[in-house]
Amino acid sequence: MDFDVVIVGAGPAGLAAAIRLRQLAEQQGRDLSVVVLEKGSEVGAHILSGAVMDPIGLDRLIPDWKDRGAPVTEAVKTDQFLYLTATRAVPLPNALMPPLMSNHGNYIVSLGDVVRWLGAQAEAAGVEIYPGFAASEILTDVDGAVSGVATGDMGVGRDGAAKASFVRGMELRGKYTLIAEGARGSLAKQLIARFSLDATSDPQKFGIGIKELWRVAPERHRPGLVQHTFGWPLDNATGGGSFLYHSGDNLVAVGFVVHLNYRNPWLSPFDEFQRFKTHPAICGTFENGERLCYGARALTEGGWQSIPKLAFPGGALLGCAAGFMNLPRIKGSHNAILSGIHAAEAAFAAIAAGRAHDRLDAYEPAVRDGDIGRDLRRVRNVKPLWSRFGTVLGAALGGLDMWVNTIRPSGGLGITLRHGKPDSDTLRPAADCPLKTYPKPDGKLTFDRLTSVSFSGTNHEEDQPVHLRLADPDVPIRVNLPEFGEPAQRYCPAGVYEVIGEGAKARFQINTQNCVHCKTCDIKDPARNITWTCPEGGGGPNYSGM
């Protein structure tokens, strides 16, 4: 199938690019074919975010979004920042916070609902969207330029043989291919390596974000409240924090982020999240409440220093595939939409000029010199300061640096700190770290992994090739278990990885059916032995309201 532009990923970036391409085609009276591939069973099924949205991207893409009924209605009314100890919550005065940290003018949203609405806008504009089709292969022309993607075969058994339901994957070829898979996308990872796009950038840094959606008692609900915390239950050397967002029909989105450069292999991000909810300042919100949904997703934290080269022969990286999240603001959807607009404008101009399969050189400066670059440059030192000096001093120095960049927006002090090694290399030997134990879940406020996965709607066809691939099947037991206590058992928020048995009888088990597509294993495995690949299209979580 041939198109002018092929887009991988029906998230904010990919759909913004599709909509902008069709807007430009209509304005100039050109015929332009645009297709969007989405591995989830429907548009929005795999979308998970906090989310508090800065509307700058929507304003630019669809200025009349309010009149069109966008599900962006819950304006932020109250902004709270708390530092937690084991028993106390210390409020930070908003007057001390850098202005860029203010959520005034932002909206509490379900990003999944926003993406579903964007999908409807795209289809109304003439975009073809194919949900349930996972792009699994990069296509290239004779010169090595990207010429499209191929979807994975469906109906293949675990043994690799075709079943009665076998359907061959499709090739979708385009003059340009835009990659908008989100954080740690499998095709983006291949493209970054193939074209050495990260040769001059720092390693990308990541966090794991775990979220639950609750319906709380009416007397516990505070519409428009945005609350962020840092500190307990994490120690000072481990970065992370929480969010609580009140919106809609007595809904509260609660989440916890752990920076994946943590050092103690006994740490479990999932269990730290469950423990966080028991804090005296937090647990009351959920009294007599009901958990509705659960999910987890890796998020990019490297920011300005970790942005790779964005254009490659035949296409470009968009949104979180390129790492445009603003870590201290915990926001990326606005930059994702803006990047989609910039990529669309570069691709449209190139096609109008008769070009194809070359570099979209106009895209990169539009990102780096525009609103995205300005948003990320002024917070560029927050993550490195936090990593070097710990939570208390690092957050204070990061706040000071953001103030300096507010006063001197041309570059602050003119210093850009580096990130150092990738997150896979930060674990210390298990024998050198204190063992962490966690309370047993009560089933009311705190829960176990498998029960939680049942609230994500996750499902995979069981008889299919394992999509979590080990370069060396012996490494988990031979190397990771004795040295790090096999941390995959703990960093995975879905119970995918288990060590069964002990001693000579120990074996590594992969429960692929549980996978919520967070990509943490592809990032944090200390042996870099696990590669996340796309399972059969339509598999994975089916998030609602997330």
Side-chain angles (χ1 to χ4, degrees), residues 78-341:
T78 308
D79 221 354
Q80 294 181 352
F81 295 89
L82 305 174
Y83 173 71
L84 300 185
T85 68
T87 57
R88 297 183 59 208
V90 181
L92 303 183
N94 285 0
L96 295 180
M97 304 299 293
L100 64 90
M101 295 294 289
S102 171
N103 280 302
H104 178 73
N106 297 332
Y107 294 83
I108 302 170
V109 301
S110 158
L111 191 60
D113 290 347
V114 172
V115 162
R116 289 180 178 89
W117 178 82
L118 284 172
Q121 305 305 303
E123 288 183 318
V127 176
E128 294 184 48
I129 303 177
Y130 297 153
F133 289 88
S136 60
E137 181 185 353
I138 300 162
L139 305 177
T140 57
D141 62 16
V142 293
D143 297 318
V146 173
S147 59
V149 297
T151 64
D153 294 340
M154 302 181 75
V156 177
R158 185 173 287 260
D159 60 359
K163 299 186 294 186
S165 58
F166 177 78
V167 177
R168 176 69 69 189
M170 300 184 296
E171 289 190 0
L172 296 98
R173 297 186 176 271
K175 296 172 183 174
Y176 293 100
T177 303
L178 305 181
I179 305 297
E181 301 171 293
R184 197 65 165 191
S186 53
L187 296 188
K189 181 182 172 183
Q190 295 176 44
L191 290 164
I192 289 170
R194 178 178 298 187
F195 294 107
S196 300
L197 301 180
D198 59 351
T200 58
S201 61
D202 282 5
Q204 184 57 265
K205 307 296 285 184
F206 295 90
I208 171 66
I210 306 172
K211 176 183 174 181
E212 295 175 349
L213 183 67
W214 284 69
R215 176 165 285 115
V216 301
E219 64 272 17
R220 305 284 182 179
H221 193 241
R222 298 177 58 186
L225 171 62
V226 166
Q227 184 182 85
H228 293 106
T229 77
F230 62 104
W232 189 90
L234 301 177
D235 60 34
N236 191 60
T238 305
S242 79
F243 61 83
L244 276 86
Y245 303 150
H246 293 238
S247 66
D249 182 18
N250 297 323
L251 297 177
V252 173
V254 55
F256 200 78
V257 175
V258 176
H259 301 178
L260 286 177
N261 61 353
Y262 67 82
R263 302 168 187 171
N264 187 341
W266 301 113
L267 183 144
S268 163
F270 174 86
D271 290 300
E272 296 291 349
F273 172 40
Q274 299 305 314
R275 194 155 68 118
F276 155 75
K277 290 184 293 178
T278 68
H279 191 278
I282 304 300
C283 61
T285 299
F286 306 104
E287 187 176 345
N288 298 320
E290 176 191 9
R291 186 171 68 154
L292 304 177
C293 197
Y294 167 85
R297 186 70 171 91
L299 47 105
T300 57
E301 296 185 345
W304 179 252
Q305 299 93 311
S306 299
I307 298 175
K309 293 178 181 177
L310 300 175
F312 50 83
L317 303 176
L318 281 60
C320 285
F324 294 147
M325 198 189 90
N326 183 315
L327 174 60
R329 297 183 72 198
I330 324 180
K331 290 178 180 62
S333 57
H334 64 300
N335 286 336
I337 292 173
L338 290 172
S339 72
I341 294 171

Side-chain angles (χ1 to χ4, degrees), residues 348-538:
F348 184 84
I351 292 170
R355 294 162 46 198
H357 303 153
D358 59 2
R359 289 184 184 269
L360 295 172
D361 291 326
Y363 173 52
E364 185 132 3
V367 168
R368 293 186 180 273
D369 300 335
D371 289 312
I372 298 174
R374 283 189 289 273
D375 188 51
L376 298 180
R377 269 196 308 272
R378 57 186 178 170
V379 302
R380 65 191 182 279
N381 291 325
V382 173
K383 170 72 173 179
L385 286 167
W386 199 332
S387 299
R388 293 185 188 190
F389 296 103
T391 296
V392 176
L393 181 57
L397 292 173
L400 179 61
D401 189 78
M402 285 189 284
W403 267 113
V404 172
N405 276 274
T406 299
I407 297 168
R408 300 186 72 246
S410 58
L413 295 176
I415 299 170
T416 299
L417 301 175
R418 316 316 303 186
H419 285 306
K421 53 192 174 184
D423 294 331
S424 57
D425 297 352
T426 62
L427 287 179
R428 292 175 175 172
D432 297 341
C433 298
L435 185 66
K436 297 182 74 70
T437 58
Y438 296 97
K440 184 178 179 180
D442 62 17
K444 296 178 181 179
L445 177 63
T446 59
F447 307 93
D448 62 69
R449 281 176 172 80
L450 295 185
T451 301
S452 295
V453 171
S454 71
F455 280 78
S456 69
T458 295
N459 186 58
H460 296 87
E461 169 61 47
E462 291 195 29
D463 186 16
Q464 64 171 301
V466 174
H467 70 277
L468 302 161
R469 299 179 181 172
L470 303 181
D472 184 342
D474 295 331
V475 161
I477 301 301
R478 178 170 51 85
V479 178
N480 284 356
L481 185 59
E483 188 166 353
F484 301 107
E486 185 42 81
Q489 303 173 89
R490 293 174 291 279
Y491 62 59
C492 174
V496 170
Y497 301 102
E498 292 183 275
V499 174
I500 307 296
E502 296 181 356
K505 295 183 177 180
R507 62 183 177 85
F508 191 61
Q509 179 165 301
I510 303 177
N511 305 308
T512 55
Q513 177 74 7
N514 295 354
C515 180
V516 295
H517 298 199
C518 73
K519 317 290 181 67
T520 304
C521 56
D522 195 292
I523 298 163
K524 189 60 178 172
D525 179 44
R528 304 186 193 182
N529 190 49
I530 302 174
T531 297
W532 190 97
T533 64
C534 281
E536 193 170 281

